Amino acid sequence: LMCGSFLAFYLTELPWMPMCVEYIAHRDAAVYLAIRLQLAASGLFALLWAYCKLCCIPAAVTDGVSPALRVSGCIGTLVFALHCAVLDAIIWPPRFR
């Protein structure tokens, strides 16, 4: 589930920049909607990946690393997932229009 959600995140992110270029060139409402849907899907997959990474890794694995590495990994995971889910999917798209 962790690898699948991360793969899905990257696959949904692939068309983002080409769609933005297309939208800037032609200001089509359908392209804007496609961008919004793509960003929402990517944000959801990022949150699913973060959940898997933070809650589904066995304690036997996490106990084998230093606390500093474990905490910094958790912070980085949260920052990445929240950035994708909140900023990219909710805050910035209306300002792009």
Side-chain angles (χ1 to χ4, degrees):
L1 188 60
M2 184 180 348
C3 293
S5 59
F6 207 45
L7 174 65
F9 167 79
Y10 277 110
L11 290 177
T12 57
E13 281 289 316
L14 285 174
W16 177 62
M17 288 301 284
M19 285 193 300
C20 287
V21 170
E22 178 65 23
Y23 180 73
I24 290 169
H26 299 293
R27 295 282 186 193
D28 184 13
V31 175
Y32 180 76
L33 179 62
I35 291 170
R36 292 296 306 261
L37 293 174
Q38 173 271 314
L39 287 172
S42 296
L44 290 174
F45 285 126
L47 289 174
L48 178 61
W49 170 77
Y51 170 78
C52 292
K53 188 171 177 306
L54 296 173
C55 300
C56 299
I57 297 178
V61 174
T62 59
D63 291 344
V65 298
S66 73
L69 181 60
R70 189 169 46 246
V71 169
S72 64
C74 290
I75 292 170
T77 298
L78 287 172
V79 168
F80 171 78
L82 292 175
H83 169 86
C84 293
V86 176
L87 291 178
D88 289 351
I90 299 171
I91 303 294
W92 300 127
R95 300 178 189 283
F96 190 61
R97 196 161 190 138

